[in-house]
Amino acid sequence: MADRRANQAARAPVTIVFVVLGLSAGTWAARIPAIKAALHLSPGVLGLALLGPAVGSVLTMPLAGAVMATVLPRRGALLLLAGMLPLTTVVSNPWQLFAVLAGWGAGLGVVDVGMNLEGAAVQDRLGRRTMSRFHAAFSVGGLAGAALGGLAAASGVSARANFIVVGAVVLLAGGVSAQFFSAARPARHAAGDVAKGQVSRWPLWSWTLVCLAAMAFGSFLAEGVVADWSAVYLHSSLGAPVGLAAIGYTVFSCTMTAGRLTGDRAADLAGPDRLVRLSAGLAAVGFGVALLIGQVWSGLVGFALLGVGLSVVVPLVFTAAAGTGRPGPNLALVTTSGYVGMLVGPALVGGLAEAIGLHAALGIDVVLCAMCAALAGFLRPRPPRGRRVGADRAPRGR
């Protein structure tokens, strides 16, 4: 009982920060229509403005990783995360909106790196997998933010009031929790760095790190495609009513959350490489078949399978990246690669849709899931440079 309480106490601060990050992102997604209407933005201009968060995150994540090689993640970036969204209600043109969203994205990126780095450290201290449950907490926060934001909009609550309340929750709950971050550095730094008595602020390049970055890129891009195009596909391509088409991403998010809640246990049973090979392979085959059938029901089933299949990829990739020699810089590189995928995904699918149709363009998710399955071997725990989750287990076969 005492050990269980100690484990819960160790996980709680990280879990809360994951939740509030998801809460902020979900709230923003729910109130985008209000901002679009207030600024009278066309879909094309809005799409350009919505690149702001990804641009801000991509630009700040490498710096965050370099700083966090020696400085503990704390609460400074939460100020940006909490304070920028209310400013979206006072801007007067799309360029100002882009700048504010880039600032919000910068805070999001720094918090993202910090909480994943702390999550990896907690895993090491506990000696058991917890990263998938941390990411499930983000998914739960996102669903809660979207639901509460939609309810606030339906009740006539202004976007500004909604953002201020959520910002206060982010700053209070997230700030207090971040004060308990220890990020007691696991003994994962490269042997050469330790011998020199210093910790490098830059990534330790290897084929493993490159492949982990490719998996993060593919997983984030595939998830972004579902977020941006699932409703359009179900409505415009398959003829689903608008209300039914809107639940495509909800189905995806719910199955992803369920997959992450069970992902740590599944990884312990099957091994991270086998689990991702199975789950990503299932997603590739299932969504590919759904596209071939081309019915509304098959589309919803396909998005559900994508959610389950992709659910464990990012948590296991981030865990592996934090164990490749230089936790902060390496994890920042992999996370940045993921956000680059999120940045280019909408435009890539849009361009393909113009050339070959949206139905065929969504096949990119099949390719990306197959790529993650093919690279799953790089998730297998390597010989430890220090204590590492799963290092005390015998290597598993392919």
Side-chain angles (χ1 to χ4, degrees), residues 274-287:
R274 288 179 177 175
L275 178 59
V276 169
R277 191 174 291 117
L278 176 63
S279 66
L282 173 66
V285 173
F287 191 60

PDB file of all heavy atoms in Angstrom, residues 274-287:
ATOM      1  N   ARG A 274       7.391  -5.280 -30.433  1.00  0.00           N
ATOM      2  CA  ARG A 274       6.300  -6.134 -30.910  1.00  0.00           C
ATOM      3  C   ARG A 274       4.953  -5.426 -30.826  1.00  0.00           C
ATOM      4  O   ARG A 274       4.092  -5.580 -31.711  1.00  0.00           O
ATOM      5  CB  ARG A 274       6.253  -7.428 -30.092  1.00  0.00           C
ATOM      6  CG  ARG A 274       7.392  -8.388 -30.386  1.00  0.00           C
ATOM      7  CD  ARG A 274       7.282  -9.620 -29.521  1.00  0.00           C
ATOM      8  NE  ARG A 274       8.323 -10.588 -29.829  1.00  0.00           N
ATOM      9  CZ  ARG A 274       8.518 -11.719 -29.154  1.00  0.00           C
ATOM     10  NH1 ARG A 274       7.715 -12.013 -28.142  1.00  0.00           N
ATOM     11  NH2 ARG A 274       9.491 -12.546 -29.484  1.00  0.00           N
ATOM     12  N   LEU A 275       4.749  -4.660 -29.775  1.00  0.00           N
ATOM     13  CA  LEU A 275       3.469  -3.969 -29.610  1.00  0.00           C
ATOM     14  C   LEU A 275       3.246  -2.968 -30.735  1.00  0.00           C
ATOM     15  O   LEU A 275       2.149  -2.913 -31.325  1.00  0.00           O
ATOM     16  CB  LEU A 275       3.424  -3.261 -28.258  1.00  0.00           C
ATOM     17  CG  LEU A 275       2.155  -2.454 -27.970  1.00  0.00           C
ATOM     18  CD1 LEU A 275       0.919  -3.343 -28.010  1.00  0.00           C
ATOM     19  CD2 LEU A 275       2.259  -1.733 -26.632  1.00  0.00           C
ATOM     20  N   VAL A 276       4.246  -2.155 -31.049  1.00  0.00           N
ATOM     21  CA  VAL A 276       4.083  -1.158 -32.112  1.00  0.00           C
ATOM     22  C   VAL A 276       3.977  -1.832 -33.473  1.00  0.00           C
ATOM     23  O   VAL A 276       3.188  -1.399 -34.334  1.00  0.00           O
ATOM     24  CB  VAL A 276       5.246  -0.148 -32.077  1.00  0.00           C
ATOM     25  CG1 VAL A 276       5.245   0.721 -33.333  1.00  0.00           C
ATOM     26  CG2 VAL A 276       5.128   0.735 -30.846  1.00  0.00           C
ATOM     27  N   ARG A 277       4.731  -2.903 -33.670  1.00  0.00           N
ATOM     28  CA  ARG A 277       4.613  -3.621 -34.945  1.00  0.00           C
ATOM     29  C   ARG A 277       3.184  -4.145 -35.140  1.00  0.00           C
ATOM     30  O   ARG A 277       2.619  -4.071 -36.235  1.00  0.00           O
ATOM     31  CB  ARG A 277       5.616  -4.772 -34.978  1.00  0.00           C
ATOM     32  CG  ARG A 277       5.770  -5.415 -36.357  1.00  0.00           C
ATOM     33  CD  ARG A 277       6.871  -6.456 -36.362  1.00  0.00           C
ATOM     34  NE  ARG A 277       8.180  -5.839 -36.211  1.00  0.00           N
ATOM     35  CZ  ARG A 277       8.996  -6.047 -35.177  1.00  0.00           C
ATOM     36  NH1 ARG A 277       8.630  -6.849 -34.193  1.00  0.00           N
ATOM     37  NH2 ARG A 277      10.158  -5.451 -35.122  1.00  0.00           N
ATOM     38  N   LEU A 278       2.605  -4.651 -34.053  1.00  0.00           N
ATOM     39  CA  LEU A 278       1.241  -5.181 -34.134  1.00  0.00           C
ATOM     40  C   LEU A 278       0.215  -4.062 -34.264  1.00  0.00           C
ATOM     41  O   LEU A 278      -0.667  -4.101 -35.134  1.00  0.00           O
ATOM     42  CB  LEU A 278       0.949  -6.013 -32.888  1.00  0.00           C
ATOM     43  CG  LEU A 278      -0.480  -6.563 -32.751  1.00  0.00           C
ATOM     44  CD1 LEU A 278      -0.787  -7.520 -33.897  1.00  0.00           C
ATOM     45  CD2 LEU A 278      -0.649  -7.258 -31.401  1.00  0.00           C
ATOM     46  N   SER A 279       0.318  -3.044 -33.400  1.00  0.00           N
ATOM     47  CA  SER A 279      -0.710  -2.000 -33.383  1.00  0.00           C
ATOM     48  C   SER A 279      -0.665  -1.137 -34.635  1.00  0.00           C
ATOM     49  O   SER A 279      -1.709  -0.849 -35.244  1.00  0.00           O
ATOM     50  CB  SER A 279      -0.555  -1.130 -32.132  1.00  0.00           C
ATOM     51  OG  SER A 279       0.648  -0.385 -32.159  1.00  0.00           O
ATOM     52  N   ALA A 280       0.533  -0.708 -35.041  1.00  0.00           N
ATOM     53  CA  ALA A 280       0.633   0.116 -36.248  1.00  0.00           C
ATOM     54  C   ALA A 280       0.279  -0.695 -37.491  1.00  0.00           C
ATOM     55  O   ALA A 280      -0.326  -0.174 -38.437  1.00  0.00           O
ATOM     56  CB  ALA A 280       2.045   0.699 -36.369  1.00  0.00           C
ATOM     57  N   GLY A 281       0.648  -1.983 -37.495  1.00  0.00           N
ATOM     58  CA  GLY A 281       0.262  -2.841 -38.617  1.00  0.00           C
ATOM     59  C   GLY A 281      -1.244  -2.997 -38.707  1.00  0.00           C
ATOM     60  O   GLY A 281      -1.828  -2.957 -39.796  1.00  0.00           O
ATOM     61  N   LEU A 282      -1.897  -3.172 -37.541  1.00  0.00           N
ATOM     62  CA  LEU A 282      -3.359  -3.256 -37.509  1.00  0.00           C
ATOM     63  C   LEU A 282      -3.986  -1.976 -38.046  1.00  0.00           C
ATOM     64  O   LEU A 282      -4.961  -2.017 -38.818  1.00  0.00           O
ATOM     65  CB  LEU A 282      -3.823  -3.513 -36.081  1.00  0.00           C
ATOM     66  CG  LEU A 282      -5.339  -3.476 -35.838  1.00  0.00           C
ATOM     67  CD1 LEU A 282      -6.018  -4.623 -36.577  1.00  0.00           C
ATOM     68  CD2 LEU A 282      -5.646  -3.540 -34.343  1.00  0.00           C
ATOM     69  N   ALA A 283      -3.428  -0.828 -37.637  1.00  0.00           N
ATOM     70  CA  ALA A 283      -3.959   0.456 -38.110  1.00  0.00           C
ATOM     71  C   ALA A 283      -3.815   0.585 -39.622  1.00  0.00           C
ATOM     72  O   ALA A 283      -4.735   1.038 -40.315  1.00  0.00           O
ATOM     73  CB  ALA A 283      -3.248   1.610 -37.403  1.00  0.00           C
ATOM     74  N   ALA A 284      -2.654   0.185 -40.152  1.00  0.00           N
ATOM     75  CA  ALA A 284      -2.424   0.290 -41.591  1.00  0.00           C
ATOM     76  C   ALA A 284      -3.398  -0.586 -42.377  1.00  0.00           C
ATOM     77  O   ALA A 284      -4.040  -0.132 -43.333  1.00  0.00           O
ATOM     78  CB  ALA A 284      -0.983  -0.097 -41.912  1.00  0.00           C
ATOM     79  N   VAL A 285      -3.522  -1.840 -41.966  1.00  0.00           N
ATOM     80  CA  VAL A 285      -4.416  -2.757 -42.675  1.00  0.00           C
ATOM     81  C   VAL A 285      -5.875  -2.339 -42.498  1.00  0.00           C
ATOM     82  O   VAL A 285      -6.648  -2.280 -43.469  1.00  0.00           O
ATOM     83  CB  VAL A 285      -4.206  -4.197 -42.175  1.00  0.00           C
ATOM     84  CG1 VAL A 285      -5.245  -5.131 -42.793  1.00  0.00           C
ATOM     85  CG2 VAL A 285      -2.800  -4.679 -42.520  1.00  0.00           C
ATOM     86  N   GLY A 286      -6.266  -2.034 -41.248  1.00  0.00           N
ATOM     87  CA  GLY A 286      -7.656  -1.690 -40.976  1.00  0.00           C
ATOM     88  C   GLY A 286      -8.106  -0.440 -41.704  1.00  0.00           C
ATOM     89  O   GLY A 286      -9.195  -0.412 -42.303  1.00  0.00           O
ATOM     90  N   PHE A 287      -7.266   0.617 -41.670  1.00  0.00           N
ATOM     91  CA  PHE A 287      -7.675   1.860 -42.334  1.00  0.00           C
ATOM     92  C   PHE A 287      -7.618   1.697 -43.845  1.00  0.00           C
ATOM     93  O   PHE A 287      -8.449   2.270 -44.570  1.00  0.00           O
ATOM     94  CB  PHE A 287      -6.781   3.009 -41.880  1.00  0.00           C
ATOM     95  CG  PHE A 287      -7.298   4.362 -42.299  1.00  0.00           C
ATOM     96  CD1 PHE A 287      -8.545   4.807 -41.891  1.00  0.00           C
ATOM     97  CD2 PHE A 287      -6.532   5.187 -43.108  1.00  0.00           C
ATOM     98  CE1 PHE A 287      -9.026   6.048 -42.290  1.00  0.00           C
ATOM     99  CE2 PHE A 287      -7.000   6.429 -43.497  1.00  0.00           C
ATOM    100  CZ  PHE A 287      -8.254   6.866 -43.093  1.00  0.00           C
TER     101      PHE A 287
END
